[in-house]
Amino acid sequence: MGRAARRLAAVLAGGTVLLSAAPHATAAAPAFPTASPDYPATVQIDSVSAPVAGENATVTVTGRVTNAGSSTVKAAHVVLRSPKEELDTRSAINLVAGRTNPTSKDGTVLAGHKADLGDLAPGQSRPYSLQVSTADLGLKAAGVYELAVDVRDTDEDRPLGIARTFLPYNTAPGAKQTQIATLWPITHAPELVAQTMPDNDQMPVLRDDGLATELGPNGRLGKLVTIGQTLPNLTWVIDPDLLDTVYAMTKPYRVQKPGTAGESAKEENTVAGAGQNVATAWLAQLRTAVAANGSQVVALPYADPDLASIAHNGSGLAGMDTALRKAATAGKVTAEGRLSVDVKGDVAWPYQGRLDQPTAGVARTAGADLVLVNGSTMPESRSLSYTPNAARPIGNGQTAVVADPVLSSLFSGNLDSDEAQSLAEQRFLAETMTITQQRPDDQRSLLVMPSRTLTVGTAEALAAALHAAAQPGGWVAPARLDAVATAPADPEANGSVPGDYPGELRGSELSSASLGSVMGVQTGLDQLLQILTQPQRVRGPFNAAMVRSMSTEWRDHAEASAAYRDGVQSYLANLTAAVKVPAKSVITLPGDNAILLISVKNDLNQAVGNLQLRVTSSQVNRLNVGEAATVVLDGTTSRTFRFPAEAQVNGPVQMTAQLWTTGPNAQPYGKAVSFTVEVTSVASGVMYVIGGGVVLMALAGVRFYLQRKKRSAAGEVDLDPERLVDADEDGAEPSADTAEEGAETAEDSVGEAPAHASVKPSDSPPESAADARDRATGDEKVGH
């Protein structure tokens, strides 16, 4: 667990202290040891056994010395310095924290307190331990003091390196304790995707299974709950989407295989999730933790949407305001349902607590009366000699709860070493003691805002510092957020929200294009829902996925953010395209009155309706079709629709088949399919043949008349009145040449017949059932 965990256990049984800085100052960067030609040795302080020293106390300081130079340090040893004076202002603490090289301001060498290290070769490192009493340090008045350790060689007069920390000295506390509310974020990047398995229970699907590791006893989220449940009056700040995800993991769930983010979830492109047991245990532990020790639960809007990105790049998008309000409502309801505790749901936490006027406006739209703000956004005047209360009105019915920028910055990174944890703890103790002593008769209320992605090491350091400062006789009283938020606002505090947003944070924002694509999903989703017979299977997962696409958590995961949004949009596109008209190329129409067969496929697992199939001609004067067909299809089926076609002229005609939604706001659905109808025998061609036949019949009639007249004149009786006049005497029919000659005469009288004219539709054989099935799955042909 490391030194911080051991310290936390010791603190629970003993006393400790906190640190502070000037009200207008930001925390100086920790002066971790660095080497230079003049100061080749680096010194680190890994622990202070009594973080808060009392009268007649003994303090043990441990750490390590490293020779970072190029030559051996002879007879190396470390010494303690006696502090020069009390650090009675936050500015004085900040100055000490910013020093690098040794100076006389660090105090004088304390005689009799040194640890020999022997010779140190270049690159060699050795640990040290120094023990000293508060009396030997010369501490008399309660307050904050510098504690410095430097390394020397045989030349006692010249230090080769130094490390500094702070030591609060607490004797007879009489000041009113400072109320401190501490945010304890339980958040994670979104994991649930829009897809669910096609079973009746809609088994949930995650984008990966990394969350299972974090929920385990040694994982980040597992450790945060374990540490947090030891802190009294803690303010748990929870993303309800994470609660939903963990709850989903308490039952069987699936995980997408890499590269399948846009596909419908199936057995073959997912694997079984492995986190069911750890998710169940973690959720039970969290429920216990948030219900104990006077805790308060703040529910962020569902999936923790990035308010600043939305304010700057998406506030005008259609549907955005509605989405934010729904996210706020869903967040509170979800947290209360999953945790079975009362939840505060009117709180906004912009990324890193950085606020400007547009972001405050978006927070108001989302229903936030309280806005958690980093003090660097609303700095105090340098003329203010004390640290004011955190709460202050900012207009529009909102209250900003402004976190102390120095205290918060101490726990904004990853304190992954004993040295970093020790320095943060001691600085926190020093800062808070100084704040309390600024106006000892007035109780102050402060907010501590660690990083949203609080790490285990940082959480251990923060918990240890809070326990130390809040021990009996300490100067800190842990408080819930609502107590700090309702404390009287200091009239001298800065309540002005800036109009500008930090430029260094703009680059990590969700872009206008990204947010636009997210909100564009709603348009396609609305259309898809209109044709589904079970829209509830799709509506909930997609609405949640849209909000997850705008999560603040994506700020630090740009690549994963883009992949998640692309997966949502691709999946919707695939669902929409699953109901379609199959592609066609050329259809042959053998007649002027025939039937066009057009099929529609539904590859979804549920039935669809509220659709029409419309077939339109680019040249209605040449080829026209019947009215639109109503489309109702069961899941995973196809159906062929018959459209009467009336052709006027031979040749190709461009046609379009398009699905349309029905209702008062009918719209095209999916892609239109264009194809060519090749007309091969229309009314004009048929008339050519009929016209030729009429002429032949007329000619035959004239000859027949003349023949009968000739016979009548000769006194013959015609026993076969229909016999042609020039038939052979034995009754033979006219020769082929004679018939062909008549046909040519007819053609001459009405024009040339088309060379590709075909038989009429009535002469075509009936269509078989197999043919109909083939057309339902491939390019369509024309039936009669």
Side-chain angles (χ1 to χ4, degrees):
M1 226 190 254
R3 184 198 61 79
R6 295 191 297 272
R7 277 280 317 284
L8 178 56
V11 163
L12 294 176
T16 17
V17 185
L18 302 161
L19 301 163
S20 32
H24 55 269
T26 56
F32 293 121
T34 57
S36 68
D38 292 333
Y39 304 100
T42 62
V43 187
Q44 63 188 61
I45 295 175
D46 292 338
S47 71
V48 178
S49 64
V52 179
E55 290 182 292
N56 302 316
T58 298
V59 180
T60 301
V61 182
T62 63
R64 179 169 291 274
V65 174
T66 302
N67 179 8
S70 58
S71 59
T72 299
V73 176
K74 298 291 187 179
H77 57 279
V78 291
V79 297
L80 275 168
R81 295 205 186 193
S82 176
K84 190 172 184 179
E85 59 186 3
E86 177 189 352
L87 305 174
D88 57 359
T89 66
R90 300 187 75 183
S91 294
I93 295 172
N94 197 52
L95 288 174
V96 171
R99 291 180 192 157
T100 54
N101 296 329
T103 171
S104 60
K105 295 179 181 179
D106 295 311
T108 58
V109 174
L110 191 61
H113 294 81
K114 76 173 184 177
D116 292 324
L117 303 176
D119 294 345
L120 285 178
Q124 193 172 10
S125 177
R126 286 200 179 100
Y128 71 85
S129 177
L130 291 168
Q131 191 175 78
V132 64
S133 67
T134 53
D136 290 341
L137 286 171
L139 307 183
K140 296 182 174 60
V144 176
Y145 296 88
E146 177 187 354
L147 186 61
V149 177
D150 65 37
V151 60
R152 301 178 181 237
D153 58 9
T154 52
D155 183 1
E156 290 283 349
D157 295 332
R158 191 173 73 88
L160 303 179
I162 192 169
R164 305 172 180 85
T165 191
F166 302 97
L167 183 64
Y169 181 55
N170 193 27
T171 54
K176 288 188 176 182
Q177 290 179 313
T178 298
Q179 289 185 319
I180 292 186
T182 303
L183 306 181
W184 203 256
I186 303 295
T187 64
H188 192 276
E191 291 292 347
L192 280 172
V193 296
Q195 290 93 325
T196 58
M197 296 299 286
D199 58 313
N200 290 334
D201 294 331
Q202 289 189 264
M203 184 184 295
V205 179
L206 275 63
R207 64 187 178 96
D208 60 48
D209 214 11
L211 182 57
T213 302
E214 291 205 34
L215 296 174
N218 295 315
R220 184 182 74 90
L221 292 172
K223 285 286 192 181
L224 288 185
V225 175
T226 300
I227 297 168
Q229 65 187 0
T230 68
L231 296 170
N233 295 327
L234 192 65
T235 299
W236 300 79
V237 184
I238 300 177
D239 178 2
D241 172 54
L242 175 60
L243 299 180
D244 261 357
T245 303
V246 176
Y247 180 76
M249 293 172 65
T250 64
K251 302 175 182 180
Y253 67 97
R254 305 287 292 183
V255 177
Q256 289 178 330
K257 289 182 178 179
T260 64
E263 301 176 9
S264 295
K266 303 173 184 176
E267 291 287 335
E268 56 266 28
N269 61 14
T270 62
V271 296
Q276 188 171 354
N277 292 335
V278 294
T280 301
W282 183 87
L283 191 55
Q285 185 183 13
L286 179 63
R287 286 170 176 157
T288 301
V290 299
N293 295 333
S295 295
Q296 179 177 16
V297 175
V298 169
L300 295 169
Y302 194 90
D304 191 15
D306 190 339
L307 303 179
S309 290
I310 292 170
H312 304 143
N313 303 319
S315 60
L317 293 173
M320 181 64 78
D321 289 355
T322 300
L324 288 174
R325 286 191 287 268
K326 288 182 177 180
T329 301
K332 187 175 188 300
V333 171
T334 300
E336 288 179 339
R338 298 296 183 216
L339 299 177
S340 300
V341 295
D342 291 333
V343 168
K344 188 172 182 60
D346 61 346
V347 179
W349 188 8
Y351 178 63
Q352 293 188 359
R354 306 304 287 268
L355 185 69
D356 62 355
Q357 292 173 7
T359 305
V362 169
R364 174 75 273 178
T365 298
D369 296 325
L370 292 183
V371 184
L372 306 177
V373 182
N374 189 312
S376 59
T377 291
M378 301 173 63
E380 305 301 336
S381 168
R382 289 185 175 271
S383 63
L384 193 63
S385 60
Y386 61 92
T387 302
N389 285 346
R392 58 206 66 175
I394 57 174
N396 295 324
Q398 291 178 300
T399 298
V401 187
V402 181
D404 187 271
V406 176
L407 301 181
S408 299
S409 68
L410 297 176
F411 305 102
S412 61
N414 181 15
L415 304 180
D416 57 355
S417 69
D418 289 346
E419 179 186 19
Q421 291 169 0
S422 177
L423 182 57
E425 293 169 32
Q426 297 304 122
R427 177 76 183 271
F428 181 85
L429 294 170
E431 294 281 354
T432 53
M433 173 177 265
T434 303
I435 291 172
T436 303
Q437 291 179 340
Q438 288 171 345
R439 306 185 77 172
D441 297 331
D442 297 332
Q443 185 178 65
R444 245 76 59 75
S445 299
L446 303 179
L447 176 67
V448 176
M449 178 190 294
S451 170
R452 218 182 205 93
T453 53
L454 184 62
T455 65
V456 174
T458 304
E460 288 176 339
L462 177 54
L466 288 169
H467 278 298
Q471 289 297 307
W475 55 90
V476 163
R480 293 159 40 124
L481 176 64
D482 53 7
V484 170
T486 56
D490 195 311
E492 301 297 324
N494 179 15
S496 177
V497 177
D500 297 329
Y501 190 72
E504 66 271 16
L505 300 183
R506 289 278 189 176
S508 64
E509 287 184 331
L510 297 174
S511 66
S512 298
S514 297
L515 292 172
S517 66
V518 170
M519 298 312 297
V521 168
Q522 188 65 56
T523 301
L525 178 62
D526 289 342
Q527 190 179 61
L528 176 64
L529 295 176
Q530 188 176 349
I531 73 167
L532 299 180
T533 55
Q534 295 177 287
Q536 70 279 2
R537 291 181 63 91
V538 174
R539 181 187 295 110
F542 263 105
N543 285 340
M546 286 175 59
V547 181
R548 294 183 188 117
S549 297
M550 301 185 289
S551 176
T552 304
E553 292 290 335
W554 297 127
R555 286 279 193 141
D556 302 320
H557 308 282
E559 186 174 343
S561 170
Y564 188 90
R565 289 192 305 275
D566 290 346
V568 174
Q569 292 158 15
S570 297
Y571 178 46
L572 177 60
N574 288 338
L575 289 183
T576 303
V579 181
K580 62 185 177 181
V581 177
K584 301 177 180 300
S585 54
V586 178
I587 295 177
T588 301
L589 181 66
D592 59 337
N593 288 285
I595 302 295
L596 286 178
L597 297 183
I598 309 295
S599 69
V600 177
K601 297 182 69 174
N602 175 21
D603 289 332
L604 297 176
N605 290 313
Q606 62 170 286
V608 297
N610 297 325
L611 278 173
Q612 284 185 338
L613 175 60
R614 301 181 186 180
V615 180
T616 56
S617 170
S618 63
Q619 295 174 289
V620 294
N621 59 324
R622 297 182 61 192
L623 177 63
N624 199 10
V625 296
E627 298 295 324
T630 298
V631 177
V632 177
L633 287 175
D634 289 335
T636 62
T637 60
S638 298
R639 180 182 171 189
T640 300
F641 295 86
R642 301 167 65 87
F643 289 87
E646 181 179 348
Q648 303 296 331
V649 181
N650 289 327
V653 178
Q654 290 297 116
M655 305 290 291
T656 301
Q658 173 71 67
L659 289 171
W660 281 73
T661 59
T662 59
N665 187 30
Q667 294 178 341
Y669 181 91
K671 294 182 178 179
V673 173
S674 296
F675 55 95
T676 300
V677 171
E678 188 70 44
V679 181
T680 60
S681 179
V682 297
S684 58
V686 173
M687 291 303 295
Y688 295 158
V689 176
I690 293 174
V694 170
V695 172
L696 287 174
M697 290 177 63
L699 292 174
V702 170
R703 295 180 66 189
F704 180 73
Y705 171 77
L706 294 176
Q707 182 73 11
R708 291 187 63 184
K709 186 176 180 181
K710 179 179 178 182
R711 289 175 179 169
S712 176
E716 296 180 5
V717 178
D718 192 356
L719 299 178
D720 183 8
E722 294 183 358
R723 182 171 57 88
L724 292 179
V725 72
D726 57 350
D728 294 336
E729 291 301 322
D730 60 358
E733 294 294 324
S735 67
D737 292 341
T738 304
E740 183 175 343
E741 178 182 353
E744 290 174 352
T745 305
E747 289 174 5
D748 289 342
S749 65
V750 297
E752 183 178 357
H756 59 277
S758 60
V759 290
K760 294 188 292 184
S762 58
D763 297 325
S764 300
E767 174 189 54
S768 69
D771 292 335
R773 283 195 298 272
D774 289 342
R775 283 197 294 275
T777 57
D779 280 354
E780 308 305 327
K781 303 301 179 184
V782 178
H784 301 279

